[in-house]
Amino acid sequence: ALRRQVRYYSEHRVLDKFDKDFMSQFEEVVFVGCGTAYHAALIGANYFKKQLNIKARAEVASEFIYSKPLFASEKMLFVFVSQSGETADTLHALKIIKEKNAFTVAVTNVAYSSLAQKVDAVVDIFAGTEIAVASTKAYVCMLSSLYLMILQMKGKVDIGFKEIEDVSTKLLEFDFE
């Protein structure tokens, strides 16, 4: 899945919209997700804080919709993380945020999902069909996508492609016996 993701991202320049100037329009990044996607959002918020030196946080969509949207503004970037792109609480949070005219990004495994159709930009994680409830493959691809987004913003995405290819190779070579 990681190799497929890196190949597609590099061949189709998926992350080009997230150039070095992209983050200059925002003062804060809010990641929103549920379940496994929320856990990826937690890591994503940490990535953005440390690597881009910007205020960032993750919110559980089901809780977020009751209080946090009141503070949404055009200076905030909202990243909605969802394996399916159909999670009801995440879609509800997106609907509220769109009313505030904030810029929205979907990090999802389903490029034609309801979530993907309603945001300003989509980052398809290309994990392929996810069967497990734990969503391990999608989770790893979500993290990889968020990491590559940051490297793109720093002008270093090619380094990330190489790193992820190397990790993929090492995992395939690992002897589990």
Side-chain angles (χ1 to χ4, degrees):
L2 287 172
R3 285 182 170 177
R4 177 177 49 247
Q5 181 189 63
V6 166
R7 189 175 5 191
Y8 191 87
Y9 279 23
S10 61
E11 289 174 6
H12 298 279
R13 306 181 59 86
V14 170
L15 300 172
D16 281 3
K17 63 182 115 334
F18 304 104
D19 61 16
K20 287 184 177 182
D21 297 325
F22 179 78
M23 288 305 295
S24 65
Q25 59 192 313
F26 306 111
E27 296 173 352
E28 182 178 1
V29 184
V30 179
F31 291 83
V32 180
C34 292
T36 300
Y38 168 70
H39 290 279
L42 284 168
I43 300 296
N46 198 30
Y47 282 171
F48 273 67
K49 272 191 272 194
K50 288 183 176 179
Q51 294 294 319
L52 299 175
N53 197 28
I54 189 165
K55 187 176 175 185
R57 61 187 160 93
E59 300 282 347
V60 177
S62 60
E63 302 302 316
F64 176 78
I65 59 179
Y66 295 107
S67 62
K68 302 295 193 288
L70 299 173
F71 304 104
S73 76
E74 293 175 5
K75 289 289 193 180
M76 297 170 77
L77 169 63
F78 286 85
V79 180
F80 293 87
V81 185
S82 173
Q83 195 282 123
S84 68
E86 300 296 340
T87 308
D89 289 326
T90 303
L91 290 170
H92 187 197
L94 172 64
K95 181 182 180 214
I96 293 167
I97 294 306
K98 290 303 286 181
E99 292 170 359
K100 304 287 186 179
N101 295 319
F103 193 88
T104 56
V105 175
V107 175
T108 184
N109 197 31
V110 186
Y112 52 85
S113 65
S114 298
L115 181 67
Q117 292 175 30
K118 296 174 181 169
V119 294
D120 299 304
V122 177
V123 177
D124 188 338
I125 66 169
F126 292 97
T129 303
E130 183 66 83
I131 298 167
V133 172
S135 198
T136 308
K137 181 174 54 163
Y139 176 73
V140 170
C141 287
M142 287 174 192
L143 295 181
S144 174
S145 295
L146 293 168
Y147 177 67
L148 291 170
M149 280 175 67
I150 288 170
L151 290 179
Q152 175 70 22
M153 291 176 205
K154 294 176 87 172
K156 299 178 179 181
V157 75
D158 291 334
I159 293 169
F161 291 155
K162 173 84 171 84
E163 289 173 339
I164 292 170
E165 284 283 345
D166 290 348
V167 167
S168 298
T169 300
K170 286 183 185 351
L171 288 172
L172 290 173
E173 293 172 352
F174 187 77
D175 183 7
F176 290 97
E177 292 185 37

